[in-house]
Amino acid sequence: MMALLSQAQTRQLFDNGWKFTREGKTISVDLPHDWAISYAPDPATGTTGTDGGWYPGGKGEYRKTFATPDGEVVKLHFEGVYQKALVMVNGQKAGQHAYGYTPFTVDITPFLYKDKRLNEVLVTVDNSEQPNCRWYTGSGIYRHVWLETSNALHFAENGVFVTTSEITSDKAVVQVETTVENESNSDRSALVVIGAGQMMVSVPARRSKSVSASFVVNNPRLWSPEDPYRYELKAELKENGKVIDQQTVTYGIRSFSFDAERGFVLNGKPLLINGACVHHDDGVLGAMAFDAAEIRKVRQMKEAGFNLIRTSHNPTTRAFLDACDSIGMLVIGEAFDGWRTAKKPYDYSTLIDSCYHEDIRAMVERDRNHPSIICWSIGNEVIERKDIRVVTTARLLKQAVMDYDKTRPVTEALCSWDDDWEIYDPHFDVLDIGGYNYMIHKHASDHQRNPKRVMWQTESYPRDAFKNWELVHDHPYVIGDIVWTGLDYLGESGIGRNYYEGERPGEHWIEGGQPDWHGAYCGDVDITGWRKPISHYREMLWNDTQDLYMAVREPDGYHGKINMTAWSVWPTWESWNWPSWEGKPVEVEVYTKAPEVTLFLNDKEIGRQKVDRGSGFKAVFRVPYEAGTLRAEAGGKSATLGTAGEPAKLHLTVDKPMLKADGQDLAYVTVEVVDNKGRICPDAAITCEATVKGQGRLMAFASANLKDCEPYVSSRATTWKGRALLVVRSSNNKGKVRVSIDSSLPAAAITINSK
């Protein structure tokens, strides 16, 4: 250690080889790690309650030993720990961080041994104060950790900020602000080199200094969801002719504007925003934020036709935003759920006064180079909204954002549970874009009162898909709709559920919650990745790429009388299996923008229907059930649903042809129960036992049934609607991974290569 580096700082993934201790038991773990997801959801013992999915909170400790690395300055960077982390190095306190969703960095240089002894880092995690959140948080070091070394003179963390102030088809003016930090005890000078330009910077001891430069990109290729092209910039720091630090950042060149007359305009073209709220968990993996899982989540939303994600209600991960940049997804980066008045006894209201500026800085400085981010959000449905002092809080939080980025608008999601909506006008006046949670029906009167207000519906009910598409389509001052939610998620147990007569009635939020559920079923896509019919309908409305889809509404009374809840849609399936319902009516839905749909049952024409905006681009046929094959034809295309036979075997498919042998990659194996003709059996509930051998390990095995209490990490799962999902984590060694599944059906297996 303490040798002067002759090259840029280094950054090493620090995820492997930790010892985790909880309740007197110690195990070996590799990060990311979420101890809660290894338990079964249990209303009797789950301290997080109905909001947290009935999982445990508690306390845990992570220890790791490591040799002292070379470098004048050594730091540990934590992408996220839930929550209240205390970092000790060699028995001394090195740092702490309270909020579970923002990254933080701890300087461990003073505490390291300067001889050959191994150092020990101890991270204690305290998630025992419950409830502290309204959804599943997970517990532990659930995001990556990095070991960073550098010279005492170096670029500050997130110290290269790229903006594009002037953009035409011929050129873009790129501005770069670099911040150099001097952690030595003497004044230092160095040369900042960006492309062909260079600037000398003098930095006093223990201080930092920023310098700016600009250059021109001719004929720029503009970033957009359709063409997510990115540029790369390298900044170097030279002292005495040697490169002592460098940072490479990617950025996109794009312009956007918004106003009540033209709506949202990206690169000179109006764009209607079809958005999804997405929580931070990765479904069957709990809170463990593997890069592969974050990328998959963004890709699922892209494939479902969305063009924007709201990171409800907290900062997301670096990998998630990298995926949004590269795949092409707009983002609202959200900081907090609530503010000073508690929604839950131990939520952010206990931290806001001491932590808000630090947490906003952590989010904005880390994320501001991402072209995908078009807006910052400072809050969601704050409880104190009727107290005029809330306006002061909103101004403080907005100013904290603008301290680090003035290039993007600021929004906030407001709602009302009574008739006092209009009193929020002073609050709305703080915001650049007004966020409406379930209140967009106020758009016309609000627009009349304030014609310049720009609005978007930051949360909407899934079943209102057509009504909200019409609203955005017809009114430029309403620039988008953002449904709650894009994906099913853990916690907020039972939201979006339908229930049958005899089951506990009411919404998810009733006293005592919904103990039979541990997750939210309001997503367009379930936790195994299956797109529900509402997802295909929404994609058809907003895009021209989905032009024909057919599904069947579950007959009321088939399993019992169906009751709806606020966030539910009618249970609708890709199924023509309704045994014992022969001759009784079944409603078949066909979604298309073609002018006419013809429906056939067993090659016999059932009927024709005109389809247009007046019908919601949906044809609904009432058909007496008869086993066989349904076929819908429209616009020269067809869609079919056939009656499956008895379960005959398991069909396994994997989402990628090759795993990376880096200990971090994931493969998602879909398990389907099929008949002897390969058709999925839509009601099959088959108990399966999985075995993973070779260069991989089982991380999760589960169905999308949010009432199933088998732990997600278990090797046992029961298919639901004929499907389940298995997740494999790669090892650090090349080779093969063999996944085999035993059940009452013939054994099934698949081999995955790892390189």
Side-chain angles (χ1 to χ4, degrees):
M1 188 186 153
M2 305 305 176
L4 182 66
L5 295 176
S6 60
Q7 57 183 4
Q9 64 176 317
T10 64
R11 197 165 189 259
Q12 173 188 343
L13 192 63
F14 206 59
D15 281 357
N16 291 345
W18 292 80
K19 297 292 185 182
F20 171 65
T21 301
R22 173 170 156 77
E23 297 179 337
K25 182 181 178 181
T26 299
I27 60 173
S28 297
V29 299
D30 296 329
L31 308 180
H33 180 249
D34 169 13
W35 79 65
I37 202 63
S38 63
Y39 290 80
D42 186 352
T45 60
T47 57
T48 59
T50 185
D51 296 291
W54 311 106
Y55 285 92
K59 299 180 180 180
E61 294 184 349
Y62 296 82
R63 296 176 185 268
K64 180 172 178 173
T65 58
F66 62 102
T68 300
D70 291 336
E72 291 182 313
V73 177
V74 182
K75 298 180 180 181
L76 285 174
H77 177 73
F78 296 83
E79 292 196 14
V81 180
Y82 205 90
Q83 70 170 351
K84 293 190 173 179
L86 173 65
V87 181
M88 307 282 290
V89 175
N90 295 328
Q92 300 182 73
K93 179 181 175 181
Q96 65 185 43
H97 188 77
Y99 191 33
Y101 294 114
T102 43
F104 63 99
T105 302
V106 177
D107 185 355
I108 64 173
T109 312
F111 313 107
L112 296 175
Y113 294 131
K114 297 174 176 58
D115 50 32
K116 294 185 178 180
R117 286 178 292 172
L118 291 178
N119 303 282
E120 182 186 68
V121 57
L122 166 65
V123 182
T124 63
V125 182
D126 186 353
N127 195 21
S128 62
E129 295 179 326
Q130 295 292 339
N132 60 49
C133 197
R134 296 188 303 113
W135 55 87
Y136 177 86
T137 64
S139 295
I141 309 179
Y142 70 104
R143 295 177 178 175
H144 296 306
V145 180
W146 301 85
L147 179 67
E148 301 174 338
T149 61
S150 69
N151 289 289
L153 186 68
H154 56 87
F155 287 122
E157 185 175 52
N158 306 308
V160 180
F161 180 27
V162 183
T163 58
T164 47
S165 58
E166 179 186 335
I167 302 172
T168 67
S169 59
D170 297 328
K171 70 173 185 177
V173 177
V174 179
Q175 296 177 321
V176 185
E177 180 185 277
T178 57
T179 301
V180 179
E181 188 172 13
N182 181 6
E183 297 192 64
S184 72
N185 293 320
S186 59
D187 297 349
R188 303 271 286 271
S189 295
L191 197 65
V192 176
V193 180
I194 299 171
Q198 56 187 32
M199 299 157 288
M200 183 62 70
V201 58
S202 298
V203 189
R206 301 293 171 183
R207 301 290 295 274
S208 62
K209 191 170 183 180
S210 298
V211 292
S212 298
S214 64
F215 59 91
V216 171
V217 175
N218 292 315
N219 303 311
R221 185 170 169 182
L222 303 184
W223 185 96
S224 70
E226 295 75 30
D227 184 19
Y229 184 81
R230 294 173 296 163
Y231 290 85
E232 187 175 276
L233 179 143
K234 183 169 75 172
E236 291 183 332
L237 188 66
K238 291 184 176 181
E239 187 178 37
N240 300 322
K242 294 182 178 179
V243 176
I244 60 169
D245 196 9
Q246 69 178 32
Q247 282 191 18
T248 301
V249 299
T250 57
Y251 66 97
I253 298 176
R254 79 312 180 241
S255 65
F256 65 87
S257 63
F258 51 94
D259 58 54
E261 290 74 38
R262 295 190 66 199
F264 181 77
V265 178
L266 179 67
N267 299 327
K269 299 177 182 178
L271 178 68
L272 303 183
I273 290 175
N274 174 29
C277 295
V278 173
H279 266 318
H280 78 290
D281 72 84
D282 282 305
V284 299
L285 293 171
M288 292 182 283
F290 292 92
D291 289 8
E294 300 289 273
I295 294 167
R296 179 176 181 263
K297 191 158 56 177
V298 176
R299 186 175 292 117
Q300 285 177 317
M301 296 295 89
K302 182 80 170 185
E303 291 172 352
F306 293 110
N307 59 18
L308 178 140
I309 291 173
R310 175 188 177 213
T311 69
S312 50
H313 302 290
N314 47 261
T316 184
T317 64
R318 166 200 51 80
F320 185 91
L321 293 175
D322 285 345
C324 290
D325 290 346
S326 62
I327 293 172
M329 181 68 69
L330 304 174
V331 176
I332 301 172
E334 191 153 272
F336 313 120
D337 182 22
W339 295 346
R340 288 197 166 90
T341 301
K343 297 180 179 181
K344 298 297 170 183
Y346 301 103
D347 64 14
Y348 198 74
S349 63
T350 64
L351 303 174
I352 184 169
D353 286 322
S354 58
C355 296
Y356 82 85
H357 201 276
E358 169 193 351
D359 288 324
I360 284 178
R361 178 178 183 176
M363 176 184 75
V364 175
E365 281 197 334
R366 183 197 65 177
D367 299 343
R368 60 191 179 181
N369 284 328
H370 289 280
S372 55
I373 293 186
I374 60 165
C375 190
W376 305 109
S377 173
I378 54 177
N380 173 69
E381 297 182 356
V382 298
I383 298 297
E384 63 267 39
R385 55 187 171 272
K386 286 191 176 184
D387 185 336
I388 193 61
R389 290 174 293 182
V390 76
V391 177
T392 299
T393 305
R395 287 174 179 156
L396 285 173
L397 298 180
K398 181 179 180 180
Q399 184 57 53
V401 170
M402 296 183 69
D403 286 346
Y404 306 103
D405 180 23
K406 295 181 175 64
T407 69
R408 294 173 175 88
V410 172
T411 192
E412 179 196 337
L414 276 70
C415 70
S416 178
W417 298 323
D418 49 36
D419 296 327
D420 289 336
W421 179 251
E422 286 73 19
I423 70 171
Y424 304 141
D425 281 358
H427 195 160
F428 270 114
D429 289 343
V430 177
L431 308 173
D432 302 304
I433 303 174
Y436 287 58
N437 279 11
Y438 315 105
M439 295 298 299
I440 205 64
H441 58 276
K442 292 283 191 178
H443 73 93
S445 57
D446 284 9
H447 180 64
Q448 186 175 24
R449 198 169 63 256
N450 184 356
K452 293 187 178 298
R453 182 184 295 176
V454 179
M455 317 170 189
W456 47 21
Q457 185 161 213
T458 34
E459 290 181 26
S460 66
Y461 296 113
R463 71 171 72 122
D464 291 339
F466 178 75
K467 180 171 67 174
N468 292 323
W469 170 82
E470 272 195 317
L471 188 66
V472 177
H473 185 271
D474 294 347
H475 302 283
Y477 58 86
V478 182
I479 64 174
D481 176 63
I482 306 166
V483 69
W484 190 268
T485 55
L487 288 160
D488 284 354
Y489 57 94
L490 303 181
E492 209 165 359
S493 305
I495 185 175
R497 70 193 263 271
N498 297 296
Y499 61 93
Y500 300 112
E501 204 165 19
E503 295 183 316
R504 187 169 198 218
E507 298 290 342
H508 64 286
W509 41 258
I510 64 172
E511 184 69 28
Q514 296 294 343
D516 292 338
W517 291 72
H518 64 271
Y521 196 67
C522 51
D524 274 23
V525 180
D526 73 22
I527 61 171
T528 67
W530 181 71
R531 291 180 58 189
K532 303 173 189 177
I534 186 63
S535 170
H536 294 276
Y537 181 57
R538 194 183 316 278
E539 182 190 14
M540 181 271 303
L541 290 174
W542 292 87
N543 302 276
D544 294 327
T545 54
Q546 177 73 42
D547 43 14
L548 186 64
Y549 177 83
M550 178 169 58
V552 178
R553 290 165 61 94
E554 180 180 313
D556 196 7
Y558 186 77
H559 292 296
K561 179 175 175 52
I562 296 170
N563 292 277
M564 306 278 284
T565 55
W567 281 266
S568 70
V569 297
W570 192 271
T572 306
W573 311 103
E574 295 173 355
S575 171
W576 194 238
N577 277 57
W578 306 102
S580 77
W581 204 255
E582 285 77 5
K584 297 179 182 179
V586 179
E587 289 188 334
V588 179
E589 296 187 343
V590 183
Y591 315 145
T592 182
K593 285 183 178 173
E596 185 178 75
V597 174
T598 306
L599 185 70
F600 300 86
L601 175 57
N602 295 326
D603 294 324
K604 179 182 177 181
E605 184 175 318
I606 295 296
R608 296 174 181 239
Q609 287 190 25
K610 299 292 184 182
V611 179
D612 55 20
R613 181 167 168 169
S615 70
F617 300 112
K618 180 189 298 185
V620 181
F621 297 88
R622 194 171 173 86
V623 182
Y625 177 66
E626 173 188 322
T629 301
L630 277 177
R631 185 176 80 255
E633 294 185 351
K637 301 207 171 184
S638 65
T640 61
L641 287 173
T643 305
E646 292 298 313
K649 59 183 178 179
L650 299 177
H651 178 62
L652 309 185
T653 54
V654 65
D655 69 328
K656 61 178 63 172
M658 189 78 64
L659 275 169
K660 296 178 183 176
D662 60 2
Q664 290 285 337
D665 201 10
L666 302 175
Y668 287 81
V669 179
T670 299
V671 180
E672 294 177 324
V673 182
V674 298
D675 67 6
N676 56 14
K677 293 184 178 180
R679 298 172 296 197
I680 190 167
C681 300
D683 294 317
I686 304 294
T687 299
C688 302
E689 186 75 30
T691 303
V692 177
K693 293 183 178 180
Q695 300 305 323
R697 51 176 153 150
L698 176 70
M699 291 300 295
F701 189 26
S703 75
N705 182 5
L706 296 172
K707 299 172 74 174
D708 189 338
C709 290
E710 184 78 25
Y712 284 105
V713 300
S714 170
S715 60
R716 180 185 295 267
T718 300
T719 62
W720 186 67
K721 303 298 179 182
R723 301 180 77 251
L725 181 71
L726 184 146
V727 185
V728 174
R729 180 178 186 174
S730 69
S731 74
N732 288 296
N733 301 315
K734 299 176 182 179
K736 296 183 182 297
V737 182
R738 183 164 178 82
V739 177
S740 57
I741 298 181
D742 293 316
S743 70
S744 58
L745 302 174
I750 194 168
T751 298
I752 309 166
N753 292 318
S754 182
K755 289 188 178 180

